[in-house]
Amino acid sequence: MRNILIGLLLLLGSFPTYASTVSYNIGYMSDYWYRGVFQSESAVSFGADVDTGNFYVGTWWADVDQGIEMDVYAGTTFKIFGFNSYAGVTGYYYSDNFDSDYEEFNTGLSYGGISYDYSVGNYKTATEQDYSWAEVTANLTDNLSFSYGEWGKDLKGSVTKVNYNTTILTVDVGLEVGKNDSNSTGTSKYVDTTYATFSLGVTF
């Protein structure tokens, strides 16, 4: 799968002529948490996305404590029984041995202000660990959402989050407050933890 994802990333440069939408983003996070797991103290990120209607491909890069994280993703969107749905793949790659590389399949659906996302993958450390990630999100207002996510199979843990997002002039401003549990994947220092992270971003 890695060769497929890297090939899709290389195609990004050829899409702008034909694509419906091409966008770029830069951002900053005061603390970088992903699915309730601590990644690094602050991070600067850059991303690029191509949307051709029913197909999307993109990449997202962030500095982490010991290197660079590079994500590559692609998928398709569709409707099923009135639900907005998607299916795709994502690869997570790291420099300087910050973490092990891994890939996963993603799918999800939404209706009204409720969405459900589900991913399965294989995490290769000293041993191979199959995992799943499931998350339900409810949009309480246009700017405020509540979500609950849970790891499954060989990885265990859960996180409850509240997110507030708004745009000031052309800058996206976000605040996330989360609480993971004592079984959350990650170092013991950051499990059973309540955290808050502030973010800024610009899309162009």
Side-chain angles (χ1 to χ4, degrees):
M1 185 190 298
R2 179 173 184 171
N3 290 335
I4 295 173
L5 288 167
I6 296 300
L8 290 169
L9 174 61
L10 294 175
L11 284 175
L12 272 171
S14 65
F15 265 107
T17 303
Y18 309 102
S20 299
T21 304
V22 181
S23 63
Y24 305 91
N25 62 83
I26 55 175
Y28 165 80
M29 295 174 283
S30 60
D31 291 294
Y32 177 16
W33 291 75
Y34 184 61
R35 294 174 175 172
V37 180
F38 179 77
Q39 303 295 307
S40 85
E41 295 181 358
S42 79
V44 176
S45 63
F46 168 80
D49 294 279
V50 176
D51 183 350
T52 63
N54 293 328
F55 178 79
Y56 62 88
V57 60
T59 184
W60 186 81
W61 298 50
D63 71 306
V64 287
D65 287 341
Q66 301 176 33
I68 300 294
E69 173 185 343
M70 182 188 76
D71 303 343
V72 184
Y73 47 87
T76 182
T77 59
F78 52 93
K79 278 188 175 291
I80 182 169
F81 301 117
F83 291 89
N84 294 318
S85 308
Y86 72 91
V89 291
T90 303
Y92 304 84
Y93 308 108
Y94 301 89
S95 68
D96 300 326
N97 297 316
F98 172 78
D99 200 352
S100 298
D101 298 342
Y102 59 103
E103 293 100 10
E104 63 184 32
F105 291 95
N106 321 106
T107 188
L109 52 84
S110 62
Y111 186 83
I114 306 294
S115 62
Y116 175 76
D117 299 281
Y118 183 77
S119 301
V120 291
N122 181 261
Y123 187 67
K124 298 178 182 179
T125 53
T127 59
E128 293 192 12
Q129 297 174 299
D130 293 323
Y131 69 88
S132 65
W133 170 257
E135 184 171 16
V136 177
T137 301
N139 295 323
L140 306 178
T141 69
D142 290 341
N143 303 101
L144 186 67
S145 66
F146 171 86
S147 63
Y148 174 81
E150 187 170 283
W151 296 93
K153 298 186 179 181
D154 294 332
L155 300 182
K156 304 299 181 183
S158 65
V159 61
T160 302
K161 300 180 294 182
V162 176
N163 283 272
Y164 177 80
N165 296 280
T166 190
T167 301
I168 300 176
L169 298 178
T170 59
V171 179
D172 298 322
V173 180
L175 175 64
E176 177 177 298
V177 178
K179 170 68 170 70
N180 62 18
D181 63 21
S182 58
N183 294 319
S184 288
T185 302
T187 60
S188 58
K189 179 181 178 181
Y190 297 107
V191 300
D192 195 15
T193 299
T194 299
Y195 67 88
T197 181
F198 172 75
S199 63
L200 296 172
V202 177
T203 301
F204 53 95

